Amino acid sequence: MAASEYEKKLSFEEEAELFQSVWDILDIDEERESIKQDDELGNLGQDVLEGAAAGPRCEESIPDDFNGIHLSFDSLTMEGVKDAIDDLGDGKAIHPVDAKILAHKALNILKNRSTVEDIDLSESQTRLVVVGDIHGQLKDLIHIIRTNGDPSSNLHYLFNGDFVDRGPRSVEVVLSLYLLLVVQPNSIHLNRGNHEHWRINSKYGFERESLEKYDMEWYKIVQETFRFLPLAHVINYQVLVLHGGLWKEDIDLDRIRKIDRSIDLPRRKDISTDDESLMNQILWSDPRDIEEKYAPSKRGSGIYFGEKLTREFFEKSKLKLLVRSHEVVNKGCSKRHDNLVVTLFSASHYTGSKTNRGAYLVFSGWANEDIDEEGDHAKDVSFSTFTYVSEGTAMAHPLLEYARESVRAKQIGGAEDAVNIEMQRIEALQLLRSRIFEKRHGLMDWYSRADTDKDSTVPVATWARGLRMVIGLHDLPWEKLVGYLACVEKDGQVRYGAFLNRYRLNVPQSFVDAWTAKITTKISKVVLSSADSLEKAFVKMDTNKDGKISYQELVEALMPFDIGLTDRQTYDVMASIDKDGSGYIDQDEFFDAFRLSFETSKAEAPEEFTCELGVQRIQDLVREKKVRLVELFGGDKKARMNRKGIAGAIKGLDTSGSFTREQRYELTDHILHGKKSISWASFKKYFNPKYTSPEWQAELIQAVVAVLFSSRVHLRRLFAILDTDGSGALDVKEFRKGMSMLNECLSNPLSTLQLTRLHHAFDKDGDGVIRYDEFFDTLRIVDSENPDM
């Protein structure tokens, strides 16, 4: 197939349809990967979360000058609640003291609810508004309440789970729902979703947002409320409303009513009881048009249930309709299984990049005796569907301006919708890049084995098959995506080395400069350990004598030696030596990588003392002894250090006597440069370790940081919890604790040397504090051919 057939020639509408399907597949698969990693990492950091005093603490009383929202619980009215919710929408805050009282009041109400609640709409004037996933989008919640009216005895609301995560205002959504619940407990009904759980919240944003806006105490109370949320509601004995879907076990609704919903639902692999299994399926399952009654879910949790299972359940339960949420629906509402199952999603423009509408259902009261139970299911239940896009729903997105510029360049009409579609395309491509980057080792290995001609290329069909085999996203139309992800040559081939090297971690130069050359030297010594020339070393590693070294040959040569790298990291470093992405290392590439180290290793004679060498030795000592520069300077960055202080600092470092007294003072005068004292900035210039690295050492850094990239969500959670003063920074001890906790759970752990280097690399100014937002900015994948996107 010619390369031109793979160029991006889709219309804007076709492109929008393509990337909507891609985004939907990736969204479900991201959940599956998250569940899989959760199984692997376990309750990472849960011991910290269990500590009652963990995390920063808010004020214990409301100060007189507090200008936020004041709640008078003894005289709270619906009008007061409406004003409070409007104020939350305008950016005002409820004081932590009141927020905790509110959460406790909600908890007391929810503890008295049942696992399955019944709602009676027999009064003809009574209406029930059913709301799907809100996901932290406060504007959608406010829009629905304003449109339909205040909850009352004649107007009930049922919120069907997933109140939090992903959106920017999850805290305010919870506060708003609990305000409504407290003031109108008989008219507000809440179901639990799969996102009402601490383990999910730690990955998708609610935990972090809670700790930024309140504290661990408030967050833990809210988590307790989640445990007592009902799992389902039955409307007039006819309509079942739950978050996810049905279960494969042959049991009726009475058994569901007996589930102990307060249990802490374990990780998927640890589910062992019937209650846990049923609860998992209720929260995670999805309807699908399949022949079987049920099938495994691609989410990795729950099941896919087919129409056969739906009809069997309805026949036994005498129910007429199932309303569930849990999935993004482009029009806000969709039907399956001959209209027996309704999916409802209420977060319009979901995450700020989706183009979907939101929706809600309105059920009107009807008398049970008027329903013909023998009639057609869908006709017996009356409800209205309303769709919308709430004003101001679109959120600030880091790539919003890029999307707008792209739309202008393409000269597309319907600007706002076009921008949202473009945002969806960008976000889908970002997710694809991350998957490719995380699986690059397996992809390189797969492609190199599939490359039977050994010309470093594969056909597009083979390129796509490799992605399906290694990444596992079999439903993705990879052939249609090749023009967005790789360069197809004129003969229809993809140069796979260049394709995989295209996607990189956004590692800042300051991080690269902070790395020592020790590991570089170790690798070089291994390469040259059994040969007295680069030529002989190359020949020895070229075990099949074809004049080039394969990745497998070079990795196997290094495996027996302890060089401080895991096998996969070594594979990354070796791949970087292959500059042309051919899949092999030729003699020129080999020589370029190791010539400097080889020439340096031959210079064995001791060098004469110079001040330049002395400064290098000082920096080596600072690095080796893990000295905190600010303490070496005396602790006060605003002070200055005189000749005696500098000489004393050098002597304190040089415990082995590398310098004579004369050399120490010669070095001191060199640092002073004719002045009587130096500032903190000048001190750092001479004492802070500096490194120069060959190009492939930067690749080593990519390999090490990639380990952190794969666990970035868990790291952010750990760091937020360990940040006891809420400063957004950790001291080195706290940083080391978080890293060590993570490292114990990794299947591909960092070495001790790597952990030590990381501790010091991120303490950029030597003050002993690591600002973890800057740290996490490093864990971002960029397209080296399109870095702005």
Side-chain angles (χ1 to χ4, degrees), residues 519-627:
I519 296 177
T520 307
T521 305
K522 269 193 168 186
I523 296 175
S524 300
K525 285 181 177 179
V526 169
V527 171
L528 304 171
S529 60
S530 57
D532 56 9
S533 70
L534 284 175
E535 289 82 357
K536 290 181 180 178
F538 182 87
V539 169
K540 185 170 183 179
M541 292 186 177
D542 179 16
T543 54
N544 66 356
K545 308 306 177 188
D546 63 353
K548 52 190 177 183
I549 300 173
S550 70
Y551 289 113
Q552 290 84 3
E553 285 174 329
L554 200 46
V555 170
E556 286 169 9
L558 294 176
M559 277 184 180
F561 301 91
D562 179 16
I563 59 174
L565 295 175
T566 65
D567 294 344
R568 290 181 64 185
Q569 293 164 1
T570 303
Y571 196 90
D572 259 355
V573 176
M574 296 304 102
S576 69
I577 299 173
D578 174 23
K579 293 181 180 177
D580 62 4
S582 66
Y584 298 90
I585 298 170
D586 61 33
Q587 199 171 61
D588 288 341
E589 291 167 335
F590 185 83
F591 287 3
D592 286 344
F594 296 107
R595 182 178 291 111
L596 179 62
S597 296
F598 179 70
E599 291 172 353
T600 301
S601 69
K602 293 191 297 184
E604 297 178 355
E607 298 180 83
E608 183 180 347
F609 174 81
T610 65
C611 288
E612 287 74 17
L613 287 174
V615 170
Q616 182 61 56
R617 177 59 181 153
I618 287 174
Q619 293 172 358
D620 288 343
L621 289 168
V622 169
R623 183 178 62 246
E624 291 167 8
K625 295 177 179 293
K626 306 178 182 68
V627 174

Side-chain angles (χ1 to χ4, degrees), residues 152-349:
S152 65
S153 59
N154 290 327
L155 177 60
H156 292 230
Y157 285 87
L158 169 53
F159 296 91
N160 197 26
D162 280 12
F163 319 134
V164 299
D165 284 336
R166 297 188 184 270
R169 308 291 301 278
S170 293
V171 165
E172 288 80 4
V173 167
V174 168
L175 292 171
S176 298
L177 290 175
Y178 287 177
L179 280 168
L180 292 168
L181 178 67
V182 167
V183 79
Q184 283 286 349
N186 296 323
S187 303
I188 297 295
H189 312 277
L190 305 174
N191 269 340
R192 184 174 182 176
N194 63 306
H195 278 262
E196 276 69 62
H197 191 281
W198 65 264
R199 192 178 289 113
I200 302 298
N201 299 154
S202 72
K203 300 178 182 67
Y204 290 101
F206 180 52
E207 180 182 279
R208 182 186 180 197
E209 185 187 339
S210 297
L211 298 183
E212 287 174 351
K213 294 177 178 178
Y214 289 118
D215 58 15
M216 184 60 71
E217 184 182 358
W218 182 82
Y219 178 69
K220 289 177 70 176
I221 301 168
V222 172
Q223 287 299 325
E224 188 72 0
T225 66
F226 288 171
R227 288 177 52 230
F228 288 94
L229 287 167
L231 298 181
H233 282 70
V234 177
I235 308 169
N236 272 34
Y237 310 102
Q238 304 291 312
V239 181
L240 175 64
V241 183
L242 47 71
H243 181 72
L246 298 179
W247 44 91
K248 60 187 178 183
E249 290 82 358
D250 184 18
I251 59 171
D252 58 21
L253 199 55
D254 287 338
R255 172 64 183 86
I256 301 300
R257 292 179 186 274
K258 296 175 183 177
I259 291 176
D260 178 8
R261 71 188 189 282
S262 69
I263 58 175
D264 182 20
L265 191 61
R267 301 189 305 275
R268 176 193 57 176
K269 70 172 187 177
D270 294 332
I271 290 175
S272 59
T273 69
D274 290 343
D275 277 9
E276 291 169 352
S277 176
L278 290 168
M279 208 167 149
N280 173 267
Q281 293 174 84
I282 289 168
L283 298 177
W284 285 91
S285 294
D286 299 286
R288 288 293 181 268
D289 297 324
I290 55 177
E291 290 297 322
E292 305 90 342
K293 287 202 294 186
Y294 60 87
S297 171
K298 291 184 178 179
R299 292 181 188 267
S301 207
I303 61 168
Y304 285 156
F305 61 97
E307 186 173 337
K308 289 180 181 177
L309 186 62
T310 299
R311 289 192 177 278
E312 281 186 11
F313 174 72
F314 281 170
E315 287 172 8
K316 291 178 181 178
S317 64
K318 305 302 182 184
L319 293 169
K320 308 296 183 184
L321 184 71
L322 169 63
V323 177
R324 43 89 62 182
S325 301
H326 194 43
E327 290 182 282
V328 184
V329 181
N330 199 44
K331 294 182 180 180
C333 183
S334 69
K335 298 177 182 179
R336 283 184 186 263
H337 299 175
D338 195 22
N339 297 334
L340 295 174
V341 179
V342 175
T343 296
L344 179 67
F345 196 83
S346 301
S348 63
H349 282 176

Side-chain angles (χ1 to χ4, degrees), residues 440-450 500 551-552 571:
R440 66 198 182 286
H441 311 92
L443 285 166
M444 179 60 82
D445 187 60
W446 195 94
Y447 288 138
S448 62
R449 295 177 191 277
L500 294 174
Y551 289 113
Q552 290 84 3
Y571 196 90

